[in-house]
Amino acid sequence: LTEGNYTEIIPQCWDYFVELMRNVTTSELCEWKVISRPYSELQRCLEFYADRLNYTYPNALAEQYIFRSHHHYFHNCTLEHPEYFDPPEDVLLAMIIAPICLIPFLVTLVIWRSKDGKAQA
C-alpha cells in the first residue's frame, strides 16, 4: 500500500470532520470543549489510515488537512485574555543584573564629570 492509497482515502476523514463541524455554531468555533471532538476525530482518522497503510504519521498530506481545518474553521480564533508567562530564568536574571551593574558606572561618571567641571572653573 502506498501514498497514493492514503491520498485517496483521507478525504473521507475530512468529510467526516466537516459533518461533525456542522453541529458547531459560529459562536462556538473557538471553544475547545466544543471543537475538541471533531478536531481529535480528524487527527485520529488521519493517523489511523496512515498506520493501516503503513505510512508515516505525521506526514505532509495529513498536515495539509490539519492546516485546512485551521484555515477554514479556526482562522478567527484568538485568546480573549492572552496568557502571560515569566521569561526564562537567564533572561530574567539579565534584566535584573544589567541595571544594577549600570548604577556604579553612572555614579562614577557623574563624580568624574563634576570634578572635571570644577577644574575648568
Side-chain angles (χ1 to χ4, degrees), residues 13-115:
C13 298
W14 177 256
D15 293 340
Y16 182 55
F17 172 73
V18 169
E19 186 63 35
L20 291 174
M21 290 302 290
R22 285 193 180 134
N23 298 324
V24 179
T25 65
T26 306
S27 62
E28 296 174 324
L29 279 178
C30 298
E31 292 183 35
W32 179 245
K33 64 184 178 194
V34 176
I35 62 166
S36 64
R37 180 175 174 260
Y39 191 79
S40 297
E41 285 293 323
L42 175 62
Q43 286 186 307
R44 184 200 58 76
C45 183
L46 295 169
E47 186 173 3
F48 171 79
Y49 283 115
D51 187 52
R52 190 143 186 235
L53 297 170
N54 202 21
Y55 194 64
T56 60
Y57 185 88
N59 57 65
L61 293 169
E63 286 181 8
Q64 285 177 2
Y65 280 93
I66 298 297
F67 288 139
R68 184 176 175 188
S69 72
H70 284 256
H71 180 71
H72 191 268
Y73 290 100
F74 313 122
H75 64 279
N76 284 330
C77 294
T78 57
L79 290 175
E80 289 180 20
H81 304 289
E83 298 179 34
Y84 296 104
F85 299 99
D86 289 337
E89 281 187 34
D90 53 313
V91 173
L92 188 60
L93 193 59
M95 292 172 68
I96 293 170
I97 291 177
I100 292 172
C101 291
L102 280 175
I103 292 171
F105 171 75
L106 293 173
V107 169
T108 304
L109 184 64
V110 167
I111 292 171
W112 178 70
R113 293 294 292 163
S114 68
K115 284 183 180 180

